[in-house]
Amino acid sequence: MIRVLLVDDQPLIRSGFRAFLDLEDDIEVVAEAANGQEGLALAGEHLPDVALIDIQMPVLDGIETTRRIAAHPELAGVHVVILTNYGMDEYVFNALSAGAAGFLVKDIEPEDFLHAVRVAARGDALLAPSITRKLINRYVSQPLPSTTRPALEELTSREREAVVLVAQGLSNDEIADRMVISPLTAKTHVNRAMTKLHARDRAQLVILAYESNLIAPRNSAR
């Protein structure tokens, strides 16, 4: 059973999402919150698999709520998905940097919404290649820090290659084709790299790849 926490200051939005989720046999809404502070407390109480969090809320916004969940060791199993009325904007970028697994636009189709919840619950990336490329474009538009993370030295050459391909916006199947390996092996390389780099998810892996200068903006033009 996938346990979901809904955090949104609009009751109508929460009830709408809950209506979709309650129809599914494998999903249970364990709690609802009207702001980030309540959501943070309920996340600690219920330990949901997925927390659907609105990005703009009173008391504590979605970005700060995400950051606190990501920083809390006991909430490591909570996958945050940001809810937004907008597309790929500054707020969403900051939320991904804070530790969100991905984001959903609120006018998403019901079946896509349900699929996204299941993807997030599995711990898989909730970022399509097109969204990953938007992240890359965001980095291209600003100076990059010249930092090198010691953890990069722990990556094998194949894991480094997989990380570079993730940062270029490729899916696991596309990585498998590029590296001439099976999709399962490609996923294994990506997962091991995330473990070694302490990345919560694929979005964080993309960000770490750029912050660590593992890949430069000029290599991301696709």
Side-chain angles (χ1 to χ4, degrees):
M1 182 69 69
I2 299 172
R3 296 161 52 79
V4 176
L5 167 65
L6 295 174
V7 186
D8 195 301
D9 62 323
Q10 300 182 50
L12 186 60
I13 295 293
R14 294 200 310 273
S15 62
F17 282 134
R18 182 165 199 144
F20 293 139
L21 297 174
D22 282 345
L23 293 174
E24 303 304 305
D25 294 334
D26 61 332
I27 301 176
E28 175 188 8
V29 176
V30 295
E32 295 183 28
N35 59 64
Q37 184 171 306
E38 292 179 4
L40 188 61
L42 289 172
E45 179 180 347
H46 294 278
L47 298 179
D49 301 299
V50 178
L52 299 173
I53 301 179
D54 184 28
I55 201 164
Q56 292 182 313
M57 296 180 294
V59 185
L60 196 66
D61 65 23
I63 294 174
E64 183 58 28
T65 304
T66 299
R67 184 175 293 111
R68 296 188 188 186
I69 288 176
H72 201 304
E74 295 183 3
L75 301 181
V78 179
H79 304 288
V80 174
V81 177
I82 290 295
L83 301 173
T84 176
N85 289 316
Y86 313 101
M88 186 64 196
D89 56 17
E90 182 73 17
Y91 294 111
V92 171
F93 176 83
N94 289 340
L96 292 172
S97 298
F103 74 94
L104 297 175
V105 179
K106 290 184 179 180
D107 62 359
I108 188 173
E109 293 295 325
E111 60 186 36
D112 293 332
F113 170 67
L114 294 171
H115 173 70
V117 170
R118 293 186 175 100
V119 168
R122 292 198 304 266
D124 292 339
L126 192 55
L127 287 178
S130 60
I131 299 303
T132 304
R133 293 186 182 108
K134 287 182 179 181
L135 271 176
I136 292 170
N137 290 337
R138 177 66 177 82
Y139 267 100
V140 170
S141 68
Q142 66 181 20
L144 292 173
S146 56
T147 59
T148 301
R149 295 176 180 267
L152 289 178
E153 300 174 0
E154 300 178 14
L155 299 181
T156 66
S157 60
R158 297 295 268 175
E159 289 166 355
R160 278 176 174 260
E161 184 179 355
V163 171
V164 169
L165 295 175
V166 168
Q168 290 176 349
L170 274 64
S171 67
N172 285 342
D173 286 344
E174 292 170 329
I175 292 172
D177 289 340
R178 185 73 65 87
M179 295 178 68
V180 195
I181 55 179
S182 71
L184 179 59
T185 301
K187 183 175 181 179
T188 297
H189 285 322
V190 173
N191 288 345
R192 287 178 177 171
M194 286 195 294
T195 298
K196 292 179 180 180
L197 297 176
H198 305 290
R200 287 171 60 95
D201 46 56
R202 205 180 189 93
Q204 291 291 295
L205 195 62
V206 173
I207 291 171
L208 287 171
Y210 275 84
E211 288 182 342
S212 305
N213 290 334
L214 183 58
I215 182 170
R218 62 177 179 276
N219 293 331
S220 65
R222 291 177 53 78

